[in-house]
Amino acid sequence: MKTNIKRLFLAGLAAMAVGCTNLDVDVDSQYTEYPTNDIAVEAKMADIYYHFSGVLGRRYMEQMCLSSDEWTAASYGGGWYDGGAYAHPALHNYTFEDATLDWFGTVTEGISKANKAIVDLGGSEAGAAIAPARAIRAYFHWIIMDLWGDVPILDRIPEDGETIDRKPRAEVARWIESELLAAIPDLTEEVSANTYGKPTKWMAKALLAKLYINWAVYTASAVENYDAASAKNEKLADCIAQCNDIINSGKFNLGSMSYREKFSYNNGPQVEDFIYAMPYDTNTRQGMQYGRSRCWKNIKKMAPSYFGMALSQSGGGYITMTPEFVKKTFILKGDERNKCVIGLSSNLDDYRYVEGQDENTVYVYNPSNLQMTNTVALIAGAGSDPLKLKVNVTLATADDPTLDVGDNNNGYCQGCRSVKWYVIDDDFMNGRNQSNDVPIFRFADVLLMKAEALTRQGQGGAKELFNQIRSYAGAPVINGEPTLEEIYDERGREFFDENWRRNDMIRFGHFEDEYFPHYKNFPTARFDKTCRIAPIHKDILNLNPTWKQNAGY
């Protein structure tokens, strides 16, 4: 987002874990009386709201996308293997030292800040003054509960030296529900540039709907005991009610702009689909680096790149798309969402994946309107070969646990790539930090959550919701009520590359599916149902010696 906003969050590990951290700072030692003017309060709250931006901009994204069937890791002759930080999630073969799991403490630090603000602003009796802090505190709890299962409930500032035990996941889910229900009446209903990126009533309701649609997952007796085929969700009606409140508010819609514009380098409060988003700016709120990992490895040598300009910084390119996801998802004729992916097709008139077209020319986009042009992207500028990507991914050596595709152009061209988070050099030159705001809850998600809940209840009405999404994207509408599998596939198209796929896969019973390189004959791939949650990082266990590691690790 192109705005003049100060970077107000503090990302550090000084308060990294629950037991031995600054969560137990003496409140009375901080201020005789906390300043209550609007500027002081806003600054304190902004530090909480944007605390998660650094993690969301990279490590959270890596963990969510690589553990799903959307993406897989790639290393290049050993480069970007990084001790398996990316390969391990792709194979569900985590270790408790992986860098993509080292952010638990950062989130609990955000909870600590929220607790401190609640005390400073008057405590439990402060009502509307503390409602935003309660909502963001609930969201932070949901983040860690969703990935790690049993986590502590940090609803107060601990006593000096106190260690807070982890609680069962179902208890944490019920606490999150109670917090949101308590905060919602006091949260603002305003939707404007002033409330953008901040907790509102609609943000809390969207989170509550997300909690409810996953209720059977979160309240299962153990993570491995959830069975998508037989699980009963007692909260489906509640999910529908929360979705209806958001829909009937009239404050959100799928929007007047194209799908691709929603995720562009100049997106922001004008996106009518965004209920809650994290604002980024290449200068003033850095940390959003999705383009870095998704671009073609040698993109700096392209003149211009497929983004329509030369890029000043090199690419990482260590995340590439799985062929299974491409072949299942980007197949609908006329679907604008297809054009968020390069390497699907060489046919610009019917741009989608077609069976058997497994190596495709990449074309240059026009950065002013994000439209794909008919100009062929060249590997290294004038006179060089066209850039062609291969849908099917082939390792340089079969069964290589480092997922090495080769440190050459052939290796760099393995797998399709996303351009959904469109890159421009004005941003990328600043340490590859982008200005694309990242939506967390969207109106489109509310529509499809309601459609899913209705379908799971055996009720009608899902078709109209489903077809709103299809029509907006220019994709073919359906004639009958959608099946759960059709809703799952549509969620893959609509929310591709937005950190939701792992969550959806578990709920729909697909997390143990096979997809590159997560194949049953791959020597280091794991299919244990305990892999639905991740191991607690060793640094957190060291700081909390009474905690036990998650089952299976």
Side-chain angles (χ1 to χ4, degrees):
M1 181 178 73
K2 298 289 187 181
T3 60
N4 185 23
I5 46 180
K6 290 186 65 176
R7 188 181 182 188
L8 293 168
F9 72 92
L10 174 64
L13 298 180
M16 188 169 180
V18 178
C20 305
T21 74
N22 288 337
L23 290 171
D24 58 359
V25 169
D26 180 5
V27 175
D28 294 333
S29 70
Q30 300 302 300
Y31 304 100
T32 303
E33 183 177 346
Y34 186 77
T36 57
N37 65 76
D38 290 345
I39 294 176
V41 171
E42 179 68 15
K44 188 175 190 71
M45 297 306 294
D47 192 29
I48 305 167
Y49 300 155
Y50 307 127
H51 180 83
F52 190 54
S53 60
V55 172
L56 178 66
R58 184 176 177 190
R59 290 305 192 193
Y60 177 81
M61 169 273 293
E62 290 169 342
Q63 178 56 226
M64 295 302 112
C65 75
L66 284 168
S67 60
S68 78
D69 66 349
E70 289 182 341
W71 295 99
T72 190
S75 67
Y76 304 103
W80 283 112
Y81 178 60
D82 288 7
Y86 316 113
H88 292 161
L91 293 160
H92 295 184
N93 187 27
Y94 310 97
T95 76
F96 76 159
E97 298 178 300
D98 288 340
T100 48
L101 295 173
D102 69 357
W103 45 270
F104 185 106
T106 304
V107 180
T108 60
E109 183 184 3
I111 295 171
S112 173
K113 291 180 178 182
N115 281 333
K116 181 67 169 58
I118 289 169
V119 171
D120 288 344
L121 294 172
S124 59
E125 304 302 316
I130 64 167
R134 294 183 74 176
I136 202 70
R137 183 177 65 177
Y139 172 65
F140 287 158
H141 276 85
W142 177 82
I143 287 288
I144 56 176
M145 179 271 289
D146 180 66
L147 183 60
W148 282 290
D150 298 352
V151 296
I153 296 175
L154 303 171
D155 57 353
R156 59 182 175 82
I157 299 175
E159 299 294 330
D160 186 25
E162 180 184 4
T163 297
I164 306 296
D165 291 332
R166 297 164 71 190
K167 296 294 184 182
R169 196 185 204 187
E171 185 176 339
V172 180
R174 287 189 286 270
W175 178 83
I176 294 170
E177 177 191 28
S178 67
E179 275 295 286
L180 292 171
L181 290 173
I184 281 171
D186 291 317
L187 287 167
T188 182
E189 296 184 5
E190 180 185 350
V191 177
S192 68
N194 184 54
T195 61
Y196 186 72
K198 302 174 184 178
T200 65
K201 179 174 291 187
W202 317 114
M203 170 269 194
K205 284 182 170 289
L207 175 55
L208 201 50
K210 188 65 70 174
L211 184 73
Y212 287 153
I213 200 69
N214 287 288
W215 194 258
V217 176
Y218 297 147
T219 59
S221 58
V223 63
E224 64 270 25
N225 292 340
Y226 172 74
D227 180 17
S230 60
K232 304 298 182 185
N233 187 340
E234 65 189 44
K235 295 289 189 178
L236 291 175
D238 297 297
C239 178
I240 292 169
Q242 297 303 323
C243 292
N244 282 340
D245 284 350
I246 296 170
I247 294 168
N248 295 335
S249 75
K251 294 180 179 292
F252 307 97
N253 58 71
L254 295 176
S256 55
M257 64 179 60
S258 70
Y259 181 85
R260 280 168 286 162
E261 288 178 281
K262 295 180 183 182
F263 312 97
S264 184
Y265 52 88
N266 57 0
N267 63 352
Q270 73 274 20
V271 184
E272 298 154 305
D273 186 24
F274 288 6
I275 296 172
Y276 181 56
M278 184 64 70
Y280 288 95
D281 184 273
T282 186
N283 296 307
T284 58
R285 187 175 294 123
Q286 296 182 339
M288 197 290 191
Q289 297 192 343
Y290 287 23
R292 174 193 192 202
S293 56
R294 288 154 173 73
C295 64
W296 187 65
K297 179 67 170 61
N298 256 5
I299 197 167
K300 187 178 179 181
K301 292 186 176 181
M302 302 180 72
S305 72
Y306 47 78
F307 291 110
M309 65 193 75
L311 296 183
S312 304
Q313 299 282 339
S314 62
Y318 54 90
I319 293 178
T320 193
M321 292 177 65
T322 72
E324 289 81 8
F325 188 75
V326 169
K327 294 176 182 181
K328 180 179 185 178
T329 306
F330 301 105
I331 57 175
L332 299 179
K333 190 170 184 177
D335 192 337
E336 186 193 359
R337 297 168 296 190
N338 296 342
K339 293 189 177 179
C340 290
V341 179
I342 56 171
L344 283 184
S345 173
S346 297
N347 184 354
L348 294 181
D349 295 325
D350 185 14
Y351 191 79
R352 59 189 170 117
Y353 176 74
V354 175
E355 186 68 34
Q357 295 179 2
D358 294 325
E359 184 177 39
N360 296 295
T361 302
V362 174
Y363 294 90
V364 175
Y365 285 76
N366 181 337
S368 65
N369 60 16
L370 309 186
Q371 295 292 322
M372 187 183 289
T373 72
N374 59 7
T375 300
V376 173
L378 303 177
I379 284 176
S384 65
D385 293 332
L387 176 60
K388 295 184 178 182
L389 298 183
K390 300 172 183 179
V391 176
N392 293 309
V393 181
T394 304
L395 298 178
T397 302
D399 297 341
D400 179 3
T402 72
L403 306 185
D404 177 22
V405 293
D407 192 13
N408 50 46
N409 282 339
N410 179 65
Y412 306 156
C413 292
Q414 300 294 322
C416 296
R417 303 278 173 165
S418 170
V419 294
K420 183 168 178 174
W421 306 101
Y422 200 92
V423 172
I424 59 171
D425 194 50
D426 283 351
D427 291 349
F428 209 60
M429 67 173 61
N430 293 320
R432 296 179 286 199
N433 288 291
Q434 297 173 243
S435 296
N436 314 59
D437 294 355
V438 176
I440 296 169
F441 301 122
R442 293 205 282 123
F443 185 69
D445 201 351
V446 171
L447 296 179
L448 285 181
M449 280 194 289
K450 180 180 176 182
E452 179 184 338
L454 289 170
T455 303
R456 290 186 184 277
Q457 287 190 322
Q459 297 183 37
K463 181 180 75 169
E464 187 273 334
L465 299 163
F466 187 97
N467 279 339
Q468 283 189 54
I469 305 291
R470 282 285 184 92
S471 297
Y472 171 81
V477 297
I478 58 174
N479 295 321
E481 294 290 338
T483 64
L484 282 176
E485 199 65 16
E486 285 175 320
I487 292 171
Y488 172 69
D489 290 346
E490 195 65 20
R491 290 190 62 84
R493 296 182 185 98
E494 182 64 23
F495 307 112
F496 158 67
D497 215 2
E498 294 181 52
N499 304 314
W500 285 117
R501 186 64 171 179
R502 168 192 162 273
N503 184 278
D504 290 343
M505 292 181 76
I506 294 170
R507 183 171 74 258
F508 281 90
H510 288 293
F511 196 66
E512 288 77 41
D513 287 358
E514 293 188 89
Y515 39 88
F516 183 90
H518 187 243
Y519 299 140
K520 290 183 178 176
N521 62 355
F522 198 91
T524 56
R526 289 188 63 187
F527 290 84
D528 310 69
K529 293 179 180 179
T530 51
C531 294
R532 294 170 180 174
I533 56 175
I536 302 291
H537 196 272
K538 69 171 185 176
D539 292 340
I540 301 300
L541 291 179
N542 288 340
L543 289 168
N544 294 274
T546 63
W547 289 11
K548 293 182 180 180
Q549 183 57 274
N550 283 333
Y553 300 106

